[in-house]
Amino acid sequence: MKKLIDMLKKRGRLNIRTDMPLVLLAVMAAIAIPRVVVEDLHLLSLESPLYKVLSIGPFLVYLAVALLRKNKRPLYDYIVLGMLLGLFVAITHQITMEIPEYKVKWNDFFSPALEEIVVRFVIFIRMLATHFIIGIVFGLIASAVCWIRERGAKNPPRDSSSSSAQLQRLAPALGLLLLAPWVGEFLLGVSPLRNILGFPLILPLYGGGALLVRELTRRTGRGWPTLFLLAAAYGVIEAGLVDQSLFNPAFLGLESQKITPIPVLGISAYNALAFVAGHVIWSIGVPIAIVEMLTPARMTAPWLGKVGLSITGGLYLVGCAIVFNFIYADEKFVASPAQRIGAPAVALTLIAIAFVINKNKDLAAPSARPVPKPWPLGVGTFVVASLFFMKPESWAGVIIGIFILCIVSPLVAHWSRQQEWSLRHQFALVAGALLTYAWGGFAMTILLWPDDFLAWIGNVLFSLIAVVLLIVTSKRIPQTP
């Protein structure tokens, strides 16, 4: 083994050295330990200024280093930092924490000693995974800074192994990883601005899921019908198995299943429609469409190789585990066995249909029937999407939502097969949908946290970001005659 490693090093295929000194990485990881000790031993109030400094300070240091330090391997270095950070924090937490009372239906089979081992192991793995993801996020920030710095240099490096070249190859995938959770949670307003530090925790689920859906679709040469069906499967898995909001009658303290109940399934028809359609259109569809339009040369090409696809799948599974653990810690709810079987069965059925449908259907010769102009189409999309978003929480609302989907879906599919259809039309659809979530974020703040001033600031900030993103995307699309 040693000979193999030496041989790979000589050939330049293995370079495990970080650009940042390991001592610096270790110090950066260690500064997160005081917060863990203070919190576990209850030495300070969680609302005290010092505790907030201990909580936010390490992240500000990581950000400052990412912005100020030149780095040849930023993503790799910060992944190593994330691993060290997770290891330091997890070990410290194992020493100082009090074992929480995790009680689920199958815990009666565990002895107290075995239960403690299981709980400690789950917490340890969760912390490793969480801080590994934090390392990736800061690595992306540092990579972007290096890319900007190299682009601004008088003689930018042409080496394909430079951070600029590597980032350029991975830019679409990384962009989707970041955009999907931002649209699905923060633009919508279900996660206010004060939760922004929790962004790395939802990135694997939303971003990994969106990237996995996109890559599976494009690698098999398929189009939007397959993508939407896979997105629907994603929505069923998230709402049915991960956060289990589909089945939890008191999710987030709301008596959600009193609205349009389907007792035999233990779900609310209104929530099922809202959750799954929301994920299909906004959490998955809109982010993918935006990133593809930002990179028109690689719009339908795979962005990842086999290794990258495998990593994405693993990232998604880690994200599922992280979100499930956090939601369960708050809700203490587990769906029934029948529900835990039914949800994946529905998801697998959707996945099967996604790959059974004829992938050559979209390749048929387009006809010359008229299509709406982009501007009216965008305005119409905004109006229709807003009507879907505002549908009443009743059976009438369910009927309205299904009616809108049943009318709009085949109509857009028909238009997209016409000769006059262009990227401008696709952009109009995306813009109308994205701006719906922009104003929807304000509505969610009124419902969920009307007294949270930071939430209102976040709504304004995120809406402005959405507008800027649409302007930038529009500039990347060629004008059509």
Side-chain angles (χ1 to χ4, degrees), residues 73-411:
R73 308 182 71 190
L75 184 58
Y76 176 75
D77 280 11
Y78 274 90
I79 288 176
V80 173
L81 172 63
M83 294 168 64
L84 289 174
L85 180 62
L87 195 61
F88 287 6
V89 169
I91 292 175
T92 303
H93 191 53
Q94 292 291 316
I95 297 171
T96 59
M97 73 176 180
E98 297 176 0
I99 298 297
E101 292 293 330
Y102 282 87
K103 294 294 182 184
V104 292
K105 295 178 181 178
W106 52 82
N107 273 107
D108 293 336
F109 297 100
F110 292 162
S111 67
L114 181 58
E115 182 176 347
E116 179 174 342
I117 292 173
V118 171
V119 170
R120 284 185 176 275
F121 177 76
V122 170
I123 292 174
F124 188 85
I125 296 300
R126 187 178 71 185
M127 285 195 159
L128 289 180
T130 300
H131 291 89
F132 176 76
I133 294 163
I134 290 174
I136 292 176
V137 171
F138 280 99
L140 297 179
I141 295 172
S143 297
V145 171
C146 290
W147 177 72
I148 294 171
R149 187 180 288 124
E150 290 176 2
R151 286 288 296 268
K154 292 183 179 180
N155 297 306
R158 298 182 180 274
D159 183 7
S160 62
S161 64
S162 68
S163 59
S164 177
Q166 292 174 356
L167 183 63
Q168 189 171 0
R169 287 196 300 270
L170 294 175
L174 300 179
L176 183 55
L177 282 174
L178 297 172
L179 189 59
W182 177 75
V183 173
E185 288 284 329
F186 289 93
L187 182 62
L188 176 59
V190 293
S191 287
L193 181 59
R194 66 174 61 253
N195 291 349
I196 196 67
L197 290 179
F199 186 84
L201 301 179
I202 62 172
L203 183 148
L205 176 62
Y206 280 88
L211 186 55
L212 192 61
V213 165
R214 194 266 172 196
E215 287 300 291
L216 290 175
T217 301
R218 298 311 187 194
R219 288 176 71 88
T220 54
R222 297 174 182 272
W224 284 98
T226 292
L227 193 148
F228 282 139
L229 286 167
L230 293 179
Y234 166 92
V236 171
I237 291 172
E238 179 174 334
L241 294 178
V242 180
D243 63 30
Q244 303 196 13
S245 55
L246 195 61
F247 304 122
N248 188 345
F251 187 69
L252 298 179
L254 304 174
E255 296 181 343
S256 55
Q257 289 195 12
K258 287 189 174 181
I259 304 168
T260 63
I262 304 179
V264 67
L265 299 178
I267 65 173
S268 159
Y270 180 90
N271 287 335
L273 177 63
F275 292 160
V276 176
H279 287 309
V280 170
I281 299 170
W282 283 281
S283 300
I284 305 293
V286 167
I288 290 175
I290 289 176
V291 178
E292 287 190 342
M293 285 186 287
L294 285 171
T295 55
R298 302 172 64 188
M299 178 171 288
T300 58
W303 295 336
L304 302 173
K306 293 181 180 179
V307 174
L309 185 63
S310 300
I311 293 174
T312 301
L315 186 67
Y316 170 66
L317 293 177
V318 168
C320 290
I322 290 173
V323 173
F324 173 82
N325 275 279
F326 274 100
I327 294 295
Y328 177 75
D330 287 336
E331 299 288 334
K332 298 295 188 295
F333 173 84
V334 176
S336 70
Q339 291 170 332
R340 296 201 301 270
I341 294 173
V346 172
L348 288 173
T349 301
L350 291 169
I351 293 171
I353 296 173
F355 290 107
V356 167
I357 58 176
N358 185 4
K359 70 177 182 179
N360 295 319
K361 186 176 181 180
D362 291 339
L363 301 179
S367 60
R369 295 177 181 175
V371 298
K373 298 296 183 183
W375 267 105
L377 180 62
V379 173
T381 300
F382 176 76
V383 171
V384 172
S386 297
L387 289 174
F388 182 86
F389 188 84
M390 293 188 300
K391 61 187 181 298
E393 295 183 346
S394 62
W395 281 108
V398 174
I399 294 172
I400 291 172
I402 294 175
F403 177 78
I404 289 174
L405 293 177
C406 289
I407 295 297
V408 170
S409 299
L411 191 59

Side-chain angles (χ1 to χ4, degrees), residues 452-467:
D452 188 342
F453 180 72
L454 272 181
W456 292 106
I457 296 296
N459 291 144
V460 175
L461 176 63
F462 296 146
S463 296
L464 290 175
I465 292 174
V467 171

Side-chain angles (χ1 to χ4, degrees), residues 435-457:
L435 292 177
T436 298
Y437 254 29
W439 78 257
F442 289 90
M444 295 300 293
T445 298
I446 293 174
L447 293 174
L448 298 176
W449 15 72
D451 299 326
D452 188 342
F453 180 72
L454 272 181
W456 292 106
I457 296 296

